[in-house]
Structure formats: C-alpha cells, structure tokens
C-alpha cells in the first residue's frame, strides 16, 4: 500500500484513532449501564453524551482540515465518509443510553447485555483497524472479526426480539424495549459499515 502522505497530513490518522478511542469509552459506559445493579442511568447517560460531544468535535476537526488540505493521505470523500460513519457509531451508543434513561428501562435481558458487550468489542476492533490505516499489514484479520461480531450481534438481536414478544404483554413496554434493541442493532450495523469503508480504502491504495 502506498499512500501519498506528507509528514503533516498524518494528523488524519491520529484524528481517526481519537474517534475510535472515544467510541470505546462510550461503549464501555454502555456496558456498565446495562450490567450494573441499581445503575445511576442519569449519570451514565450524561457521561455517554459528553463522549458523543467529543466525537462530534473531532469529526468537525476532520471536516475543517479537509477544507484546508492541499494533499490528503487518501481520497477526500473516503476521509469524510469514514469520519461520519465512525461518528454515527457513537451517536447510536448515545441514543441507546438516552433511550434507557428516557424510558426508565431498568431490567436488561441477556441478549441486550450481549449486544452491548459486542459493541464494546467492535469498538476495539475498529480502533485496531484504524491504527493500521497508514500501514495495513494485518488489517484483514480485524475486518473479518468485525463482520463476525456483527453477525453475532444480529443473532443476539433476533433472540432479544423473540423473547420480548414471548415474555412481555404490556404494549408500551414492548415498544420501549423494541426501540432500544433496534438502536443497539443499528450501532453494530454501523460498525460493519466502518469496516466496509476501511476495506474499500485499503483496496484502492493497495
């Protein structure tokens, strides 16, 4: 792989890794939120929101830099698309935390806890992949793992939905939980989108 890279343009790689680091932080908070007994949902949701705001700021720095850069390490459109996809992952984690707090969901099924942990693991894999963007030896293993984890998350989502309609009768509660499940599933889908974007970038420049 041969990126045309000027010394000061490696800031893009640093900014991407900063975003994935923030995603890991948000995912870890979400795992605590759905796993800890008597969790303070307001406090946890606030922590996730703070991380989400930080992600927004880094994404803004990337788009601002794009407008000023003469030479970029890879296609401008790919840089923008990757930044937005990563930011979307953090947005979905924030949406999950917000739904838990807003709907006062206090009990979580095993599939929901599993989905949260899978998002945390996906975040680590995305971070590892992004760290290899400038020299993608070993990248494929992380891409494959992200796809595998997303498939596992799909199965957890289907189990959660099945249990939801089997174990609950209150229609309002079902609506609340179903929305949470869909948000979590969307987060894992967006992680896979990130993997696809990274894979496309690597292929273009290999």
């Amino acid at each position: 792989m041969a990126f045309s890279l000027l010394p000061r343009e490696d800031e893009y790689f640093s900014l991407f890794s900063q975003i994935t680091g923030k995603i890991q932080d948000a995912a870890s908070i979400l795992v605590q939120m759905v796993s800890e007994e008597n969790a303070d949902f307001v406090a946890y949701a606030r922590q996730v929101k703070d991380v989400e705001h930080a992600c927004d700021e880094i994404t803004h720095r990337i788009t601002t830099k794009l407008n000023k850069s003469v030479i970029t390490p890879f296609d401008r459109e790919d840089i923008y698309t990757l930044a937005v996809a990563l930011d979307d992952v953090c947005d979905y984690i924030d949406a999950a935390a917000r739904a838990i707090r807003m709907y006062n969901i206090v009990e979580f099924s095993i599939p929901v806890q599993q989905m949260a942990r899978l998002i945390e693991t996906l975040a680590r894999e995305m971070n590892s992949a992004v760290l290899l963007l400038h020299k993608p030896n070993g990248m494929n293993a992380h891409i494959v793992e992200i796809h595998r984890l997303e498939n596992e998350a799909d199965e957890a989502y289907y189990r959660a939905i099945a249990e939801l309609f089997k174990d609950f009768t209150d229609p309002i509660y079902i609506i609340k939980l179903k929305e949470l499940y869909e948000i979590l599933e969307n987060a894992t889908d967006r992680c896979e989108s990130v993997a696809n974007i990274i894979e496309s970038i690597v292929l273009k420049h290999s």
Side-chain angles (χ1 to χ4, degrees):
M1 182 176 189
F3 284 126
S4 176
L5 176 63
L6 293 179
R8 58 182 156 183
E9 293 304 325
D10 62 1
E11 185 182 355
Y12 285 109
F13 300 115
S14 173
L15 291 170
F16 284 136
S17 67
Q18 288 177 45
I19 294 180
T20 53
K22 294 299 181 183
I23 293 170
Q24 288 183 94
D25 292 342
S28 295
I29 296 168
L30 181 64
V31 167
Q32 295 175 54
M33 198 172 185
V34 302
S35 303
E36 184 178 299
E37 189 173 351
N38 300 318
D40 185 341
F41 294 141
V42 173
Y44 278 136
R46 187 180 299 115
Q47 290 177 43
V48 174
K49 175 57 71 177
D50 288 343
V51 176
E52 188 270 335
H53 281 159
C55 272
D56 285 344
E57 291 174 4
I58 299 168
T59 303
H60 179 68
R61 286 173 60 190
I62 291 174
T63 56
T64 299
K65 184 173 176 60
L66 270 177
N67 292 329
K68 297 179 180 179
S69 295
V70 176
I71 297 176
T72 56
F74 46 91
D75 295 349
R76 292 171 183 272
E77 182 179 352
D78 289 335
I79 291 173
Y80 178 77
T81 301
L82 179 56
V84 170
L86 288 168
D87 188 53
D88 283 349
V89 175
C90 204
D91 286 343
Y92 278 120
I93 296 172
D94 174 54
R98 186 171 63 249
I100 291 168
R101 178 186 59 79
M102 184 171 61
Y103 295 146
N104 194 32
I105 300 170
V106 296
E107 293 183 8
F108 304 97
S109 65
I110 291 174
V112 169
Q113 293 174 338
Q114 181 184 6
M115 289 178 73
R117 289 193 297 269
L118 284 167
I119 291 170
E120 184 179 36
T121 307
L122 281 160
R124 288 198 297 268
E125 289 296 326
M126 287 191 299
N127 184 64
S128 296
V130 163
L131 289 173
L132 292 174
L133 260 177
H134 68 291
K135 188 178 180 183
N137 295 331
M139 172 76 78
N140 188 60
H142 298 293
I143 299 299
V144 169
E145 181 64 3
I146 289 171
H147 289 305
R148 188 195 68 78
L149 289 166
E150 196 279 332
N151 289 335
E152 189 175 338
D154 280 345
E155 291 301 318
Y157 168 73
Y158 296 138
R159 287 197 301 275
I161 292 294
E163 291 178 7
L164 175 62
F165 287 99
K166 176 184 176 183
D167 299 337
F168 296 95
T169 57
D170 181 351
I172 301 301
Y173 195 67
I174 289 173
I175 291 170
K176 292 177 180 179
L177 287 180
K178 187 171 182 291
E179 181 174 335
L180 174 60
Y181 298 165
E182 289 173 350
I183 292 169
L184 294 170
E185 203 267 339
N186 284 334
T188 64
D189 281 349
R190 204 55 176 148
C191 291
E192 187 168 48
S193 296
V194 168
N196 290 335
I197 295 164
I198 292 174
E199 188 173 25
S200 174
I201 291 169
V202 171
L203 287 173
K204 284 181 183 180
H205 297 272
S206 59

